[in-house]
Amino acid sequence: MLSFFRSFAPYQYFSLLVVLLLIRLPLLISPLPLLIPELNWMLVGEQMRQGHTLYSGIWDSVSPFSAGVYWLIDLAVGRSQGAYWTVATGISIFQLVYFNYMINAREVFPERSFWPGLFYALFLNLSFDCTTLSPVLMSLTFLLLAFGSLIRQLGRQGATDEVFEVGIYIGVAALFYLPSGLFILWASLSLLFFTGATFRQHSLTIFGFAFPILLVVFYYYFTNSLDDFNRNLLTSVFRVRQYDLSDFKTLFTCLIVPLTVGVLGFLSLFNSANRYVNFQQRCQQIMLIWAITAILTIPLMPFLAPMLFLTFVPPMAFFAVVYFSNFRKVWLRELAFLGVVVAIAGVLYQGATRILPGVEVGQLSNLQVKPSALPDYIRNRKVLIIDEDLSGYRYNRPATPYLNWDLAKYDLRNLDSYEAVIDIYDNFRQDPPDYVIDRQQVVPKLFQRVPALAALYKPTETAGIYKRIR
C-alpha cells in the first residue's frame, strides 16, 4: 500500500478518502456506544436551542465555539449521534487533505507523496471515540491552518505581517478547545527560533491570538455574565481531576503503536540529517515543538480518552513519514506498515464492536453512558440530576443550569451561603424540573434552607427522587 501512495498524482486524494471511509464504515455495522461526553455536548446544544445562555443559563465547561456547533446541529436534527459522526468525518477529510497538500506544496520532504495524508488518516482513528465531533477535533483544524501559515513564513526571506493569521487561528482553536491556547507558545517559539520576525511581528501574533478571545470576553461582559464565563470555562480547566487506572490502560493500548512509530521516526533523523535541506530541518524542529506543546496540554484535559490526544496526530503522522522513508527494503517497509495498520484497526474495531468477547481493549467503559437506573415513568421529562452520572438525561431533558456537577457544586455544596441559596431558588423558579434525582444528598438541606421549594416537591417511593407536585 505504501508503494501505491508514494506516487504523486491528483487522483490519490480520492484514494485517501477511500482509505478513511474504509476504516470507518465497519463501525456502522452496529450502533456505536454513546459516550458521556457526547451526551453532554448534545445536552448543551439542546439547552442553547431552547434559549439558555452558555455559562450563565448552562453551567458547563465546553468551549463557546464548540457549543455553537452543537447548537447548530441540534437546531438542524436534534440529538443525533449519526450527525456528530458525519460532521466529524467531513472535518477529518478536510484535515487529511489539507495536511497532505500543505506538506507537498511547501516541499517539507525531499519527495512528494501521499504518505502524510495516509498516516494522518490512519492515526485519526486511534479509537472509536476519535470518530465523534469532539472539541479537540474541531480545534485541530485551526491549529493545522496555523501550521500552514507558519511554514509559509519559513519559505520567505523573513517573516511578514501575515503572522497575524497564525495568532488568529490559534485564538479560534482555543475557543473550540481551551487548552489549545497553549499553542501560542509553539507559534511564538517557532517564530523566534526559525524566522527573522521582529518585535512588531511577534506582537501581531499575540494580538491575533487575543483578538477573538477578547471578542468573546466582551460579549459576556456586556451581558453581565463575565463571572459565569470565568467560573465555568477559564478556572474550571485547572480543577483537580480523578483518573481511573483503566483510563491509562486504554490510552496506552491506543497510543503505543503510533507514538512508537513517531518517536522512531524522530530518532532516525539523526542518521539521515544530510538528506534534508535547511528549510526541511526547520519544519522538523517546528513539528517537534508542536509535540512538546501537545504534551503540555495533558494536565489540562478534563478526562482521559484517545479523542483528547488528537493534537498528537500531526507530529505522529509527520515523523511516521520520516521513519518509513528510511526503510531500504520495500518488502520490509510494507510488512512494517501492515503491522501498524493491523494494530490500530484491531484496537479500533475491538473497542467499537467487541469482536473478542471478554477483552476490554479500547472499550472506554468508564466513558460509556450506562443504562439509566431511573424508574420507567421518568421519561421525556425535565429533570435535574445532582450527580456526575448523566445517563438519566439520555431520554429526558435537563432543567436548571446545573448540568455539570463539578460546577454545580459551586451552589449546591454551598448551602450555608445566602447568595448561593438565592441563586438556586431563582434557577428553580425560572426552569423548574419535573423530577429531582439527588445522588449527593443535597436536597434535604436545600429544602430546609428554602421552604418554598420544599412545598413544590415530594419524595417518591424511590429514594433520592423528588417529584414536582405543583
Side-chain angles (χ1 to χ4, degrees):
M1 181 179 287
L2 278 178
S3 299
F4 174 76
F5 282 97
R6 195 163 195 172
S7 63
F8 186 76
Y11 70 84
Q12 295 287 38
Y13 281 110
F14 176 75
S15 301
L16 287 179
L17 304 187
V18 171
V19 168
L20 181 66
L21 294 178
L22 285 177
I23 293 173
R24 294 195 174 184
L25 284 179
L27 301 179
L28 301 181
I29 295 175
S30 60
L32 289 175
L34 180 65
L35 301 177
I36 293 173
E38 282 183 305
L39 177 59
N40 187 85
W41 302 331
M42 292 177 187
L43 294 174
V44 169
E46 184 177 87
Q47 289 287 82
M48 292 181 67
R49 178 176 58 83
Q50 293 173 356
H52 299 283
T53 303
L54 185 64
Y55 306 132
S56 59
I58 310 167
W59 285 24
D60 197 76
S61 58
V62 65
S63 295
F65 282 10
S66 293
V69 173
Y70 301 140
W71 166 68
L72 290 174
I73 292 176
D74 193 86
L75 199 64
V77 296
R79 294 189 195 180
S80 172
Q81 191 178 11
Y84 278 44
W85 188 92
T86 302
V87 176
T89 299
I91 292 175
S92 300
I93 290 172
F94 171 81
Q95 289 183 6
L96 69 91
V97 169
Y98 178 77
F99 184 73
N100 195 89
Y101 168 79
M102 173 185 58
I103 293 293
N104 288 314
R106 301 300 167 191
E107 298 182 344
V108 175
F109 292 112
E111 298 179 359
R112 294 184 179 185
S113 71
F114 280 77
W115 284 10
L118 177 63
F119 283 107
Y120 197 98
L122 186 61
F123 293 162
L124 267 181
N125 297 280
L126 298 172
S127 173
F128 72 90
D129 65 312
C130 296
T131 65
T132 193
L133 189 61
S134 66
V136 184
L137 179 67
M138 293 185 279
S139 173
L140 180 57
T141 302
F142 294 91
L143 294 180
L144 285 175
L145 293 173
F147 178 62
S149 296
L150 191 57
I151 64 172
R152 188 165 63 242
Q153 300 294 319
L154 296 183
R156 298 171 177 169
Q157 295 296 324
T160 68
D161 289 350
E162 291 180 8
V163 294
F164 180 78
E165 292 180 11
V166 177
I168 284 283
Y169 287 138
I170 298 175
V172 173
L175 291 173
F176 276 100
Y177 177 61
L178 190 59
S180 292
L182 288 178
F183 277 84
I184 191 61
L185 300 176
W186 160 76
S188 298
L189 291 175
S190 298
L191 290 172
L192 179 64
F193 294 146
F194 309 119
T195 70
T198 64
F199 176 78
R200 175 176 175 274
Q201 289 161 342
H202 281 286
S203 301
L204 279 175
T205 306
I206 300 299
F207 178 72
F209 168 72
F211 181 70
I213 297 176
L214 288 175
L215 289 180
V216 173
V217 170
F218 286 150
Y219 167 79
Y220 283 100
Y221 173 78
F222 287 116
T223 56
N224 297 316
S225 304
L226 190 57
D227 289 341
D228 300 314
F229 173 76
N230 178 63
R231 180 182 64 249
N232 289 295
L233 180 64
L234 301 183
T235 60
S236 67
V237 78
F238 299 106
R239 68 181 183 273
V240 178
R241 295 162 180 80
Q242 298 294 325
Y243 299 132
D244 190 274
L245 185 60
S246 61
D247 296 332
F248 291 98
K249 291 179 180 178
T250 298
L251 282 175
F252 179 80
T253 304
C254 295
L255 296 174
I256 183 62
V257 172
L259 280 179
T260 300
V261 172
V263 171
L264 290 175
F266 171 73
L267 294 177
S268 67
L269 289 173
F270 294 100
N271 297 324
S272 58
N274 56 351
R275 292 183 53 200
Y276 304 99
V277 299
N278 184 51
F279 167 77
Q280 293 167 345
Q281 291 176 349
R282 284 184 290 170
C283 289
Q284 294 162 5
Q285 292 162 339
I286 286 176
M287 193 55 80
L288 175 61
I289 298 175
W290 176 306
I292 295 172
T293 307
I295 293 173
L296 295 179
T297 66
I298 294 177
L300 302 180
M301 293 178 178
F303 53 90
L304 288 181
M307 72 170 87
L308 297 184
F309 286 78
L310 287 176
T311 49
F312 287 81
V313 170
M316 290 191 303
F318 184 93
F319 290 115
V321 174
V322 176
Y323 175 67
F324 281 93
S325 64
N326 287 329
F327 276 85
R328 296 181 180 179
K329 297 181 178 180
V330 175
W331 69 269
L332 185 59
R333 182 183 66 203
E334 295 289 343
L335 186 61
F337 178 72
L338 179 61
V340 171
V341 172
V342 170
I344 292 178
V347 173
L348 175 66
Y349 298 141
Q350 173 63 23
T353 62
R354 300 191 178 188
I355 300 174
L356 301 175
V359 179
E360 293 295 322
V361 172
Q363 297 291 317
L364 299 176
S365 300
N366 292 336
L367 288 181
Q368 292 188 24
V369 176
K370 306 296 190 298
S372 175
L374 297 182
D376 293 337
Y377 60 82
I378 304 181
R379 200 177 181 93
N380 296 322
R381 300 298 188 97
K382 293 175 62 176
V383 302
L384 167 63
I385 299 176
I386 306 177
D387 192 36
E388 295 178 350
D389 182 15
L390 300 180
S391 60
Y393 287 126
R394 185 168 189 173
Y395 301 109
N396 292 288
R397 302 184 304 278
T400 77
Y402 304 119
L403 180 60
N404 186 310
W405 169 241
D406 286 332
L407 298 171
K409 291 177 184 177
Y410 184 84
D411 271 1
L412 298 177
R413 285 291 193 196
N414 195 24
L415 295 177
D416 292 329
S417 166
Y418 178 77
E419 182 179 356
V421 171
I422 292 298
D423 288 341
I424 294 171
Y425 176 73
D426 288 341
N427 289 326
F428 268 76
R429 181 173 53 82
Q430 294 170 9
D431 190 18
D434 298 324
Y435 290 89
V436 178
I437 294 87
D438 180 22
R439 309 292 192 200
Q440 300 291 331
Q441 289 79 50
V442 168
V443 169
K445 187 174 181 178
L446 173 62
F447 285 174
Q448 289 179 0
R449 294 288 188 270
V450 191
L453 284 182
L456 298 177
Y457 292 87
K458 70 174 184 178
T460 65
E461 62 276 9
T462 305
I465 298 181
Y466 299 83
K467 180 181 179 180
R468 187 183 177 202
I469 56 176
R470 59 187 179 91

